[in-house]
Amino acid sequence: MDNGNAPQSLLFRTPPGFFRERIAPLFPQVDFKNLRPTDLVRILIQAVWLAVFRINPPPPRPHVHMRWWRQRITRWGRQVMRLVPQRWRHRVTPSRIRRHLEHLAKHDVWANRPMGVATYLLTVGILVITIITPFSLLSQLIFMALLWFIALSVRRIPGNLATMILIVLSAIASGRYLWWRINYTLNWDDLLDLTLGFVLLSAELFAWLVLMLGYFQSARPLRRQPASLPADPSQWPSVDIFIPTYNEPLDVVKPTVHAALAMDWPEDKLNVYLLDDGRRPEFRQFAQEAGVRYMIRPDNSHAKAGNLNHALARTGGEFVAIFDCDHIPTRSFLQVNMGWFLRDPKLALMQTPHHFFSPDPFERNLGNFGAVPNENELFYGLVQDGNDLWNATFFCGSCAVLRRKPLEEIGGIAVETVTEDAHTALRMHRLGYNSAYLKIPQAAGLATESFSAHVGQRIRWARGMIQIFRLDNPLLGKGLSLPQRLCYGNAMLHFLSGIPRLVFLAAPLAFLLLHSYIIYAPAVLILLYVAPHILHSSIANSRIQGKYRYSFWAEIYETALAWYIARPTTTALFNPHKGSFNVTAKGGLVPEEHFDWSISKPFLILVVLNLLGVLFGLWRLVDGPDHEVNTVLINLGWASYNLLILGAALAVAVEARQVRQAHRVEFDMPAALLMPDGRYLKAETRDFSLGGMSIHCKEHDNLEAGMPLQVSLRVGARSYAFPATIARRDGGLLGVKFQELTPRQEAELVQCTFGRADAWIGWAAKRPLDRPLASLREVMAKGLTGYQRLLHFAFPHHAQPLIGHARGLLGYLASFLPRQPAIP
């Protein structure tokens, strides 16, 4: 009989002193009082090494069970060694095996090409067998529990090998789900079920294809570093800088021109051209005053691409650097990027990130600027770096350097599509030229100012990529390697996600409203196959994308754009010549907060339909048959999740007030305050803009609002002073506003701020990595915020009680989820 003190595990049936003195020292890195899954894996690996390779041998008198297992595993190892030919046995020794295992753990598994190919073939074979093998209900549960245990065990282990394991686990779970869906879940006896089931299955197959291509594209980013230039600047090549503009305000263009002139490059090898398709006299006058060359053309054919080609035919630099007129380069841009061109004569393109110092509509309207990676960050932080591994970097139209010779060989910038940049890179790749990507922000610009402008920009990108797919399909034709074709293909598939996203948003309504079984299977089986597919893909993507895209935020970005990219992409598939280039508005203001009812119509329709589905589902729970309860609950959960995502999309449609003409950029750098009485006060900036600064000064006792002063900033060994006035004071924190600056002072201010070589280095270093549950909590909160704002603008006098109840309910539910740590 158990007396209450009997040991609960085999380990502790030995005396405590024996365990503490003999067993625990074998595993010095394991905390036996707080065991984690990773500790269990570590113990297992160490135990195998103890038994087979006799590394760190156990004490002379081990426990009888450990001795039995050691003898058994050693015998198995000797039997395996007998299978090895005699002439190879001297190579297969425990020490050599241990060295190879340690090498694999520390290095990339693909560094050795034969081993990489063999690993790939073996993995594919195992994957196929694992995916198509049918399991019973219990076997599926045990198998997925094993995969889940392995995923939790390796997800925190650093290195590329753990990432590859998570990808394989995700491929297994997703593959088994889709194999099961295709073979067992379509109701062939009901036309409505079959039709809607095929629609959902097609959307799922599309999502799976994009998922797998995404793993291929971004699992192993290259992380290229700058290449050095010759010590003698006379050996550096000549560079023409093109700054195209059409209808942007002069205040937006000025900083870009000033920063381009201040680049660290020999003056006789640098030519800056302002390409004005607006043909404005004030731009001509500014170009003359700034010392740059002003260029216009007789017409605006082919928009930006035509503007660049016109300049290309009338200039002669060996290289061409292109900047959108709002993208302000740093002084080090050319020195950082040009080294690779001298190292590789076949290099035709060097692309750098598009960094934005102003919030995009998602960041501004959701209030998470700097706290959550923005929509662009995944592409410029990870995807382009992954493309670089396969020599498939895309030209993005700005912040890039191109070699003139290959550009002229392809006939200049492509004009057949509205995404001339990506098409130009594709043509150069077809001719065998190389591309490169440096993930070092060396320029920064303005994000779109409103959600409607953002949608318009994405429509153009989507239409253009599908035009390329139809007119110059990267999957066909000569000149591209298979990885290049896959990278280009995945980029184009991304813009076809509008219709699949709408299918997922409407799918639960098939059962809730129409009582159609689009997944014709018991609810328990659905959970056993769907849950591992979703969980493993979430874990793998969180591991790969954690710095650049938080979990569940892609749902918001894609939902907000799905309706608007679905139509132009479908049109471009059938009529690729339809559509024209549209310029993205920059530098605008939003005088008052308002709800954009026009652009939110698709979201409102989907919200109403999902609400109806939830109401019908609750009715089915009350009056429906008992055997459908689990199915109703699954679809209710799906529809509720869709409502949260749609709520976040509605929140984006509420345009936040934006009245600041010059955006502030957080940046700490030394400064000094020169007072009218001759005093010199040391200070430090907290943020800056072209209109003023926030400055912290310890000696602030005699400083008052309205007091004139000069702000002194240093670049290298030179100091510059700018007249300003104290606009406000909060203790030692001063808000200063620059007075009327001369053109020369404006140029010097750009050099001291936006043009600094370190202006954008480490801008997101303090942001924490992704935590999926905490991210889910944030997304839920944004969903509630969307409905709160909708009620506020729809019923301004009656919304508060409803908002209060909804807040309380969601706050209670969200309390069970962890929070994302704040940026320190």
Side-chain angles (χ1 to χ4, degrees), residues 354-382:
H354 287 193
H355 177 65
F356 299 100
F357 57 83
S358 67
D360 67 23
F362 289 96
E363 295 174 302
R364 186 179 65 254
N365 297 341
L366 295 179
N368 56 12
F369 180 51
V372 175
N374 62 40
E375 187 198 9
N376 277 316
E377 204 164 327
L378 177 64
F379 178 76
Y380 290 109
L382 181 64

Side-chain angles (χ1 to χ4, degrees), residues 286-542:
F286 164 70
Q288 292 174 351
E289 294 174 353
V292 302
R293 304 185 184 187
Y294 181 77
M295 191 174 293
I296 61 174
R297 56 185 179 137
D299 58 39
N300 289 2
S301 59
H302 302 302
K304 178 182 175 181
N307 196 1
L308 294 172
N309 287 333
H310 178 266
L312 193 67
R314 289 158 178 78
T315 55
E318 299 172 65
F319 294 87
V320 175
I322 301 174
F323 296 96
D324 284 348
C325 65
D326 63 296
H327 285 170
I328 308 172
T330 64
R331 58 183 297 182
S332 58
F333 181 91
L334 291 177
Q335 289 195 5
V336 168
N337 289 289
M338 293 302 297
W340 279 102
F341 285 104
L342 302 184
R343 179 178 295 188
D344 179 8
K346 293 287 288 183
L347 183 63
L349 164 68
M350 173 62 77
Q351 180 67 56
T352 65
H354 287 193
H355 177 65
F356 299 100
F357 57 83
S358 67
D360 67 23
F362 289 96
E363 295 174 302
R364 186 179 65 254
N365 297 341
L366 295 179
N368 56 12
F369 180 51
V372 175
N374 62 40
E375 187 198 9
N376 277 316
E377 204 164 327
L378 177 64
F379 178 76
Y380 290 109
L382 181 64
V383 173
Q384 279 281 62
D385 214 1
N387 288 342
D388 196 17
L389 175 70
W390 307 112
N391 191 25
T393 298
F394 305 154
F395 173 39
C396 300
S398 180
C399 309
V401 183
L402 299 96
R403 194 186 296 267
R404 179 180 291 270
K405 181 177 178 293
L407 194 56
E408 291 177 343
E409 283 185 33
I410 63 171
I413 305 295
V415 298
E416 292 80 6
T417 65
V418 295
T419 47
E420 73 290 333
D421 40 19
H423 198 184
T424 299
L426 175 61
R427 287 184 168 181
M428 291 192 293
H429 281 135
R430 285 195 186 277
L431 292 184
Y433 286 102
N434 300 328
S435 61
Y437 181 72
L438 271 179
K439 196 183 67 175
I440 303 175
Q442 288 291 293
L446 294 170
T448 48
E449 298 292 349
S450 67
F451 183 47
S452 58
H454 190 85
V455 168
Q457 183 188 65
R458 296 310 191 264
I459 288 175
R460 175 171 64 85
W461 292 358
R463 178 187 291 118
M465 294 302 284
I466 304 307
Q467 286 176 331
I468 297 174
F469 184 79
R470 279 295 316 277
L471 300 175
D472 193 7
N473 195 323
L475 303 179
L476 307 174
K478 299 180 180 179
L480 298 180
S481 65
L482 178 60
Q484 287 176 322
R485 297 180 193 275
L486 294 178
C487 289
Y488 274 103
N490 189 37
M492 294 167 188
L493 285 177
H494 168 75
F495 289 102
L496 289 172
S497 63
I499 292 178
R501 175 59 56 187
L502 294 175
V503 170
F504 294 139
L505 291 171
L509 305 180
F511 177 80
L512 296 174
L513 297 182
L514 304 177
H515 202 249
S516 174
Y517 285 86
I518 54 176
I519 302 180
Y520 193 63
V524 175
L525 268 180
I526 294 175
L527 285 178
L528 281 178
Y529 281 93
V530 173
H533 160 60
I534 295 175
L535 291 173
H536 280 284
S537 61
S538 297
I539 291 177
N541 277 317
S542 179

Side-chain angles (χ1 to χ4, degrees), residues 411-685:
I413 305 295
V415 298
E416 292 80 6
T417 65
V418 295
T419 47
E420 73 290 333
D421 40 19
H423 198 184
T424 299
L426 175 61
R427 287 184 168 181
M428 291 192 293
H429 281 135
R430 285 195 186 277
L431 292 184
Y433 286 102
N434 300 328
S435 61
Y437 181 72
L438 271 179
K439 196 183 67 175
I440 303 175
Q442 288 291 293
L446 294 170
T448 48
E449 298 292 349
S450 67
F451 183 47
S452 58
H454 190 85
V455 168
Q457 183 188 65
R458 296 310 191 264
I459 288 175
R460 175 171 64 85
W461 292 358
R463 178 187 291 118
M465 294 302 284
I466 304 307
Q467 286 176 331
I468 297 174
F469 184 79
R470 279 295 316 277
L471 300 175
D472 193 7
N473 195 323
L475 303 179
L476 307 174
K478 299 180 180 179
L480 298 180
S481 65
L482 178 60
Q484 287 176 322
R485 297 180 193 275
L486 294 178
C487 289
Y488 274 103
N490 189 37
M492 294 167 188
L493 285 177
H494 168 75
F495 289 102
L496 289 172
S497 63
I499 292 178
R501 175 59 56 187
L502 294 175
V503 170
F504 294 139
L505 291 171
L509 305 180
F511 177 80
L512 296 174
L513 297 182
L514 304 177
H515 202 249
S516 174
Y517 285 86
I518 54 176
I519 302 180
Y520 193 63
V524 175
L525 268 180
I526 294 175
L527 285 178
L528 281 178
Y529 281 93
V530 173
H533 160 60
I534 295 175
L535 291 173
H536 280 284
S537 61
S538 297
I539 291 177
N541 277 317
S542 179
R543 163 80 179 215
I544 297 170
Q545 305 175 1
K547 292 171 60 177
Y548 313 104
R549 173 68 57 81
Y550 284 173
S551 299
F552 305 103
W553 280 88
E555 311 277 335
I556 298 177
Y557 299 144
E558 293 180 9
T559 298
L561 298 171
W563 177 268
Y564 294 101
I565 67 173
R567 180 178 176 181
T569 53
T570 305
T571 302
L573 278 175
F574 296 98
N575 187 3
H577 297 285
K578 187 175 182 179
S580 59
F581 188 95
N582 61 292
V583 178
T584 304
K586 299 289 183 70
L589 302 178
V590 182
E592 296 294 337
E593 183 183 53
H594 65 277
F595 190 88
D596 194 334
W597 292 99
S598 176
I599 207 165
S600 61
K601 285 180 181 178
F603 315 143
L604 294 173
I605 293 172
L606 288 168
V607 165
V608 171
L609 290 175
N610 276 272
L611 282 175
L612 285 175
V614 169
L615 294 176
F616 270 84
L618 296 175
W619 172 71
R620 291 184 188 279
L621 282 179
V622 176
D623 284 346
D626 293 340
H627 68 272
E628 288 187 345
V629 169
N630 291 334
T631 304
V632 173
L633 290 175
I634 289 176
N635 283 278
L636 278 176
W638 192 350
S640 300
Y641 177 75
N642 286 345
L643 283 171
L644 285 173
I645 299 300
L646 288 166
L650 288 173
V652 181
V654 180
E655 295 291 355
R657 187 168 178 260
Q658 163 58 29
V659 295
R660 187 183 293 276
Q661 188 71 43
H663 293 273
R664 296 275 177 149
V665 178
E666 293 185 2
F667 191 80
D668 295 343
M669 59 180 171
L673 302 181
L674 307 179
M675 308 307 297
D677 58 5
R679 287 182 298 155
Y680 179 91
L681 306 180
K682 290 185 178 181
E684 189 176 59
T685 66

Side-chain angles (χ1 to χ4, degrees), residues 31 40 78 99 126 188 344 430 500 650 661 673 678 763:
D31 182 5
L40 298 177
R78 289 171 180 168
R99 286 198 301 271
I126 295 174
W188 295 88
D344 179 8
R430 285 195 186 277
L650 288 173
Q661 188 71 43
L673 302 181
W763 61 275

Side-chain angles (χ1 to χ4, degrees), residues 141-160:
L141 176 62
I142 294 174
F143 181 69
M144 289 305 162
L146 176 63
L147 295 188
W148 179 244
F149 173 77
I150 296 174
L152 292 180
S153 302
V154 305
R155 70 190 185 103
R156 299 294 185 188
I157 299 175
N160 185 255

